[in-house]
Amino acid sequence: MYCRNCGKELIGTPELCMNCGAKPLAGNSFCLSCGTTTNQLAEICIKCGARLNTNINQTAAIGGKKKTVSILLAVFLSYWTWLYTYKKDAWKFWVGIGVLVFIVILAIASFGISFAFSWIMSIGIWIWSIIDVATRNENWYRSY
Ligand SMILES: [Zn+2]
Ligand SMILES: [Zn+2]
């Protein structure tokens, strides 16, 4: 690729340009694909047609968030299915509800350390549910 700030050809896609020190994709003066000079407002290179997306990092961040949300939803869905099967075990149900509320509050209120912590909590609960179901099935089989 070429540095979008100074036009120097770079090996791979480094974080920073070795020639000018800027983030190679943060500039808007050169095409990242062919190295030709580009208009600062251009969205594609008129020489090679490459997309000159100056917000690549931003786009990636949005995509990452969407992915996180979909994973979160999947975890919560499996979690709810598990809770549903455990309605009769009152203490487990209420502990589950309490932890779920805790996780939701953490997830809504924060990004960063506590967000990561809420993730660890939900993964922990998920693993616990698997272990719990496994042990329950074992007992269930034994009773027959
Ligand atoms: Zn550069
Ligand atoms: Zn180009």
Side-chain angles (χ1 to χ4, degrees):
M1 70 172 288
Y2 292 85
C3 175
R4 294 223 56 216
N5 186 50
C6 69
K8 171 96 178 165
E9 187 169 10
L10 304 168
I11 300 158
T13 49
E15 267 292 297
L16 298 170
C17 172
M18 293 303 287
N19 190 49
C20 69
K23 285 180 181 171
L25 295 174
N28 56 9
S29 305
F30 297 89
C31 173
L32 72 163
S33 179
C34 68
T36 196
T37 52
T38 55
N39 187 298
Q40 300 204 339
L41 296 174
E43 289 190 16
I44 58 160
C45 173
I46 53 169
K47 193 181 172 193
C48 73
R51 188 131 189 99
L52 305 174
N53 194 344
T54 53
N55 295 321
I56 281 173
N57 290 334
Q58 202 182 324
T59 313
I62 291 165
K65 256 180 201 171
K66 272 181 188 166
K67 202 179 172 190
T68 308
V69 167
S70 62
I71 291 167
L72 206 64
L73 278 174
V75 168
F76 275 139
L77 272 177
S78 60
Y79 183 61
W80 271 113
T81 314
W82 171 68
L83 271 186
Y84 187 75
T85 63
Y86 267 93
K87 263 186 188 169
K88 284 165 194 169
D89 288 335
W91 74 269
K92 280 174 186 168
F93 180 71
W94 288 114
V95 166
I97 290 289
V99 174
L100 182 69
V101 169
F102 181 64
I103 289 167
V104 167
I105 289 166
L106 275 181
I108 290 168
S110 60
F111 296 94
I113 293 168
S114 48
F115 185 70
F117 181 66
S118 69
W119 259 107
I120 292 161
M121 289 292 289
S122 59
I123 290 164
I125 287 295
W126 184 60
I127 290 165
W128 180 48
S129 69
I130 288 170
I131 292 165
D132 216 23
V133 167
T135 51
R136 185 178 72 147
N137 284 347
E138 203 178 309
N139 291 336
W140 187 75
Y141 284 127
R142 268 181 202 161
S143 67
Y144 282 91

